[in-house]
Amino acid sequence: MEFLRSVVPFHPMPVISTGTVVLRAPSMSDFDAWSSLREQSRSFLAPWEPLWPADDLTRGAFRRRLRRYHSEMRDSTGFPFLVFTTDGMQLVGGLTLSHVVRGVTQSCSLGYWMGAPFAGRGLMTAAVRAVIPFVFDTLRLHRLEAACLPHNAASTRLLEKAGFTREGYARRYLCIEGRWQDHLLYAIVSDDPRP
């Protein structure tokens, strides 16, 4: 295990700030704001996410989520961020870099969610654009991938505005809302122009 630690670089979680949003790692002190926003946005988010466990919005489930996040951060396999407004530090959503693969791939996957009251304001586009330099310049990855449901026009626009290119179509790719659904596949690579 000590050998693996020396091969996999450790990357501390940064605080990423733009003129619009601030991204930082979640902590237990975020539970009340996170659970409130997720509950308030449940019907808005449900069509785009896996089914929520019955206890998903409990303090215990959030604590388990944080433990998983800390394990992924320690192993440099995942990097979770909460997204806040710069004016007032109000929680608006979340963004996760997951499935970090080294070796010949040098890639990771992007996932994100936006609270219903904040949708359509460009905040998640700003957050995705802000995390791209972390992926390519800090983590030194080559490729950032994302997938979205074909009928999710807002997510398609977001990815394209952030510089992603549509690369394909994956049949029954992810289990969303309790059933396997097709997804559009997007990616941006390190030498693509950045918007």
Side-chain angles (χ1 to χ4, degrees):
M1 196 61 170
E2 194 59 41
F3 169 74
L4 287 178
R5 281 196 195 104
S6 66
V7 175
V8 178
F10 173 74
H11 297 284
M13 288 296 290
V15 173
I16 300 171
S17 186
T18 73
T20 313
V21 293
V22 174
L23 286 71
R24 68 160 172 77
S27 68
M28 202 62 211
S29 64
D30 297 312
F31 171 72
D32 290 336
W34 177 88
S35 61
S36 175
L37 183 58
R38 296 281 295 175
E39 179 60 43
Q40 180 182 7
S41 305
R42 184 185 290 261
S43 62
F44 174 75
L45 295 172
W48 319 114
E49 294 189 354
L51 292 176
W52 294 11
D55 71 340
D56 196 50
L57 299 180
T58 66
R59 190 172 294 278
F62 190 73
R63 192 173 288 113
R64 287 190 300 276
R65 180 184 299 265
L66 290 181
R67 277 198 296 266
R68 186 182 79 243
Y69 287 160
H70 287 288
S71 174
E72 292 169 357
M73 289 184 288
R74 183 191 64 238
D75 297 338
S76 293
T77 59
F79 300 90
F81 294 91
L82 291 180
V83 181
F84 300 86
T85 59
T86 51
D87 58 335
M89 288 297 290
Q90 185 173 21
L91 177 66
V92 298
L95 181 152
T96 305
L97 302 170
S98 60
H99 309 293
V100 176
V101 179
R102 293 293 179 178
V104 297
T105 303
Q106 298 294 327
S107 68
C108 70
S109 297
L110 169 70
Y112 47 84
W113 64 272
M114 176 59 64
F118 307 101
R121 298 186 191 177
L123 296 170
M124 190 52 70
T125 302
V128 170
R129 284 179 175 159
V131 84
I132 289 172
F134 175 69
V135 170
F136 295 138
D137 302 337
T138 302
L139 298 181
R140 305 196 60 75
L141 296 174
H142 172 67
R143 180 178 176 84
L144 177 58
E145 300 173 334
C148 67
L149 292 163
H151 58 280
N152 190 342
S155 203
T156 299
R157 276 193 311 275
L158 182 158
L159 291 169
E160 290 172 356
K161 280 184 188 174
F164 285 72
T165 299
R166 182 175 165 183
E167 295 187 332
Y169 191 91
R171 296 177 310 121
R172 295 184 291 283
Y173 184 61
L174 296 174
C175 189
I176 301 296
E177 205 179 16
R179 57 189 203 284
W180 292 100
Q181 297 195 48
D182 299 350
H183 279 69
L184 300 177
L185 303 178
Y186 282 85
I188 185 170
V189 295
S190 58
D191 54 358
D192 280 346
R194 298 184 197 174

